[in-house]
Amino acid sequence: MENAPPFDRHGPAEPTSPVVLSVPHAGRDYPLQLRAALRVPIGQLAALEDRAVDQVALAARIGETTFVQRRARAWIDLNRAEHERDPRVDEGASITRLPFPSAKLRSGLGLVPRRAARSGDLWCRRFTAEEIVARIRLDHRPYHAALSRALAAARARFGVAVLLDLHSMPPLGTGGDTVRIVLGDRFGKSARARFVARLEGEAAAMGCRYALNSPYAGGHILERHAAPRGGIHAVQIEFCRTLYLDAALDRPGEGLERTAALLRRMIDALADEALAQPGALAAE
């Protein structure tokens, strides 16, 4: 149904906290049109999912407005710009019309992913321009429009808004060198350093090894919605899947509760930092 949004909004449309949560890659809805075009078993698309990180977000949130995309990332990637269309899977795309093809697009992870880890090419045919335009219109734009409205409303109410864009990642490193959390602020472009410092402090307090902007600095969602000079800050968080999934990295495990508790502390820290600054609540 065209009128039904492809995402779930938890919490009010007018945020009651300066912190707004986004979970764009945990969707598990695989439309029939997608299934019919697959050249690999559908189980291989799970490599594109931020497996069950939505459950971490929902366990952590109290009243924060939270957006969770239902449609799978294999259908369309909300963390890519509309122009990041791959000619190898999209008849309406032309590499010559792109201002500069991103590394993600060149590697097969464009607006519609061409590949997944260890699977090779995913599709047995190219999608028509009309098919891709429909996905943009019905899936991509509604999510970003709703997120933009919520951030604007939070900024209007509190004088500042903070977007926390939640993802998950495979293990990085081995043994004691394993990075458990990666924070991304697009190398300082999407959020003031004080917000990132609060997140670093919470990760360190929980004994989680973390990194900043390496290897994940944040994608289109941060680039599109962050406006630190205008009072809208945005940070991406990648949680290692070993923190909250079972040993097979397939289902929620014993660590989910502890990971949700860490995220709760991070949300509280961001709200505290936002409301402690001069100008906060000035718009009310």
Side-chain angles (χ1 to χ4, degrees):
M1 294 178 59
E2 293 201 3
N3 293 329
F7 59 85
D8 294 319
R9 191 196 74 226
H10 302 267
E14 300 289 327
T16 56
S17 165
V19 180
V20 175
L21 307 181
S22 164
V23 188
H25 284 168
R28 292 175 288 277
D29 176 9
Y30 292 93
L32 180 61
Q33 180 185 344
L34 177 148
R35 294 168 179 260
L38 276 172
R39 64 178 295 275
V40 299
I42 193 169
Q44 293 192 27
L45 298 183
L48 292 169
E49 295 179 11
D50 286 345
R51 196 75 161 178
V53 79
D54 54 329
Q55 296 188 42
V56 176
L58 296 179
R61 68 172 292 275
I62 296 177
E64 292 80 17
T65 298
T66 301
F67 295 93
V68 179
Q69 177 74 353
R70 292 194 305 271
R71 205 83 76 206
R73 180 185 180 187
W75 177 252
I76 193 166
D77 190 338
L78 302 180
N79 208 24
R80 301 289 179 265
E82 290 186 16
H83 68 263
E84 292 186 88
R85 295 169 61 174
D86 187 341
R88 295 178 64 176
V89 298
D90 177 354
E91 291 180 354
S94 170
I95 202 71
T96 61
R97 290 203 299 265
L98 291 172
F100 181 75
S102 67
K104 292 290 188 181
L105 176 57
R106 293 195 304 271
S107 68
L109 295 174
L111 185 66
V112 173
R114 172 168 42 87
R115 65 169 186 84
R118 299 179 298 278
S119 70
D121 288 349
L122 298 174
W123 313 111
C124 61
R125 68 175 179 88
R126 295 170 74 203
F127 298 104
T128 67
E130 290 75 15
E131 287 175 301
I132 303 302
V133 168
R135 296 184 199 185
I136 292 171
R137 179 171 57 87
L138 298 175
D139 294 274
H140 195 275
R141 290 179 181 170
Y143 189 92
H144 285 282
L147 193 55
S148 181
R149 286 192 296 268
L151 289 168
R155 168 66 179 84
R157 178 172 183 177
F158 298 102
V160 64
V162 185
L163 169 62
L164 206 50
D165 195 41
L166 302 174
H167 298 258
S168 73
M169 64 184 185
L172 300 176
T174 57
D177 293 330
T178 300
V179 173
R180 303 292 185 181
I181 294 174
V182 176
L183 306 172
D185 67 352
R186 295 186 63 80
F187 300 97
K189 295 179 181 178
S190 68
R192 296 290 186 236
R194 56 190 173 88
F195 291 107
V196 178
R198 292 296 297 267
L199 295 176
E200 290 176 315
E202 295 303 330
M206 291 286 280
C208 282
R209 185 179 176 87
Y210 66 89
L212 178 59
N213 290 316
S214 180
Y216 308 109
H220 174 66
I221 290 175
L222 267 58
E223 182 179 27
R224 175 168 178 167
H225 295 284
R229 291 185 178 180
I232 299 178
H233 306 266
V235 182
Q236 178 178 285
I237 300 183
E238 297 268 1
F239 288 106
C240 180
R241 292 169 194 149
T242 60
L243 285 174
Y244 67 92
L245 292 179
D246 60 14
L249 302 183
D250 182 52
R251 298 178 181 276
E254 294 179 357
L256 189 142
E257 184 175 347
R258 185 173 187 272
T259 305
L262 170 57
L263 177 56
R264 180 68 248 167
R265 290 179 55 163
M266 289 176 158
I267 294 168
D268 289 340
L270 290 177
D272 177 71
E273 188 66 30
L275 297 175
Q277 298 302 310
L281 298 175
E284 283 198 315

